[in-house]
């Protein structure tokens, strides 16, 4: 479950201040796929980064899986972030590490033992369909395969929530379709709550249960996907 309560985010101060989010309220029940759609500069990126506090809101509360993120100390926040996976437009893989070692990284950082890492990484590679690519490097993979590695890495710490920041924007339509299919599969198999931001209507139509429209830092509309796209 993801809950944003009255979130405001201002970058900079004085004359240079930019109000990126204004009084944003959003509630996403467990197991839902929720899309936030809006034009460039509307505040999508800021909104999604406020969920795991990559950006700290100027005011308001962020609650993920019952835990108020905005009240945690730095070490508590680190731990809470294990419950939140994130994927990005440009994948953000480490180029000097193999596929296996990219997926293993979050577990290494958590101090997981080698054997346990192995027992977690191999099934994840299977889940995303890359079991035969474990020893390859990111440069040897297609864009869709790189995003699959990033998804496996995001799932390594057994998150309850997955944040997708324009995750298909760098991919061609066919590859986008297969990544969305994988995300739908993960949502169902793992009952993972997914928040995604995108500027592409098709992405929202294809996997979201509900959708919000963001404009100038404010959520201006929210609806079931079917309702949203048939509204007059
Ligand atoms: P979107 O993801 O919808 O394109 P963003 O959240 O990136 O929107 O940006 C919302 C607004 O906040 C924009 O006006 C943008 O210029 C501004 N902004 C984003 N990040 C920063 C930052 N680090 N410093 C100052 N302004 C920022
Ligand atoms: P070992 O039991 O032989 O010590 P580990 O599980 O400790 O193996 O892994 C050591 C390194 O070998 C890992 O960091 C990773 O780079 C690589 N590795 C392990 N298992 C695989 C695999 N199935 N495919 C590709 N590389 C692997």
């Amino acid at each position: 479950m993801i809950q944003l309560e009255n979130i405001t985010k201002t970058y900079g101060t004085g004359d240079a201040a930019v109000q990126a989010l204004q009084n944003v309220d959003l509630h996403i029940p467990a197991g839902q796929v929720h899309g936030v759609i809006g034009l460039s500069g509307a505040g999508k990126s800021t909104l999604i980064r406020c969920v795991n506090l990559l950006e700290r809101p100027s005011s308001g509360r962020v609650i993920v899986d019952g835990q108020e993120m905005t009240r945690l100390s730095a070490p508590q926040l680190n731990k809470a972030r294990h419950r939140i996976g994130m994927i990005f437009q440009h994948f953000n893989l480490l180029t000097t590490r193999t596929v296996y070692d990219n997926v293993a990284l979050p577990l290494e950082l958590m101090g997981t033992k080698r054997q346990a890492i192995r027992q977690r990484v191999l099934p994840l590679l299977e889940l995303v369909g890359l079991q035969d690519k474990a020893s390859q490097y990111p440069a040897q993979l297609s864009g869709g395969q790189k995003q699959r590695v990033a998804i496996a890495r995001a799932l390594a710490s057994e998150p309850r929530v997955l944040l997708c920041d324009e995750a298909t924007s760098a991919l061609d339509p066919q590859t986008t379709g297969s990544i969305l299919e994988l995300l739908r599969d993960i949502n169902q198999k793992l009952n993972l709550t997914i928040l995604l931001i995108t500027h592409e209507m098709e992405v929202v139509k294809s996997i979201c249960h509900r959708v919000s429209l963001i404009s100038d830092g404010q959520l201006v509309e929210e609806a079931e996907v079917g309702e949203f796209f048939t509204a007059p």
Side-chain angles (χ1 to χ4, degrees):
M1 169 282 276
I2 301 173
Q3 210 167 330
L4 304 180
E5 289 180 3
N6 204 14
I7 296 294
T8 295
K9 173 70 185 181
T10 309
Y11 292 109
T13 53
D15 287 347
V18 175
Q19 178 105 31
L21 295 177
Q22 254 185 80
N23 310 112
V24 166
D25 285 300
L26 182 64
H27 177 78
I28 309 174
Q32 284 252 323
V33 182
H34 194 105
V36 174
I37 195 160
L39 299 175
S40 177
K44 302 183 296 294
S45 208
T46 303
L47 182 144
I48 203 166
R49 292 162 64 90
C50 278
V51 174
N52 55 6
L53 268 69
L54 282 182
E55 292 291 352
R56 188 167 276 278
S58 307
S59 64
R61 303 200 311 160
V62 177
I63 300 161
V64 177
D65 226 14
Q67 201 162 28
E68 189 177 340
M69 303 291 288
T70 32
R71 289 186 70 135
L72 300 179
S73 65
Q76 287 172 325
L77 182 58
N78 261 334
K79 210 159 171 222
R81 281 189 176 131
H82 298 156
R83 292 279 164 262
I84 307 175
M86 190 165 187
I87 58 172
F88 303 89
Q89 178 172 6
H90 296 296
F91 324 123
N92 297 8
L93 300 177
L94 295 179
T95 54
T96 57
R97 283 182 158 237
T98 62
V99 165
Y100 180 101
D101 288 327
N102 265 282
V103 178
L105 182 66
L107 298 166
E108 286 172 21
L109 295 176
M110 287 162 67
T112 309
K113 297 258 189 298
R114 263 191 192 189
Q115 189 59 29
I117 289 180
R118 203 186 169 81
Q119 280 169 5
R120 179 99 191 110
V121 171
L122 295 178
L124 280 171
L125 290 178
E126 203 160 312
L127 177 73
V128 301
L130 291 180
Q131 56 275 39
D132 57 339
K133 302 285 182 197
S135 312
Q136 306 237 301
Y137 286 86
Q140 299 171 281
L141 305 177
S142 69
Q145 289 170 334
K146 285 180 198 166
Q147 195 59 293
R148 285 170 187 273
V149 177
I151 290 169
R153 180 182 59 184
L155 297 178
S157 60
E158 301 188 50
R160 298 307 310 139
V161 164
L162 181 65
L163 306 176
C164 308
D165 184 351
E166 297 279 3
T168 55
S169 297
L171 305 174
D172 62 59
Q174 195 182 338
T175 311
T176 292
S178 74
I179 292 296
L180 294 176
E181 204 172 300
L182 174 61
L183 290 175
R184 195 183 303 125
D185 190 40
I186 287 166
N187 164 249
Q188 287 167 3
K189 271 191 192 150
L190 308 177
N191 194 36
L192 205 65
T193 309
I194 299 181
L195 170 60
L196 65 87
I197 60 167
T198 181
H199 61 277
E200 297 171 302
M201 296 280 185
E202 288 308 317
V203 168
V204 166
K205 275 189 194 172
S206 119
I207 66 163
C208 293
H209 300 119
R210 285 182 77 81
V211 57
S212 298
L213 179 64
I214 188 169
S215 173
D216 279 335
Q218 291 182 287
L219 294 184
V220 291
E221 239 181 289
E222 184 183 330
E224 296 285 325
V225 163
E227 254 175 84
F228 192 83
F229 287 104
T230 55

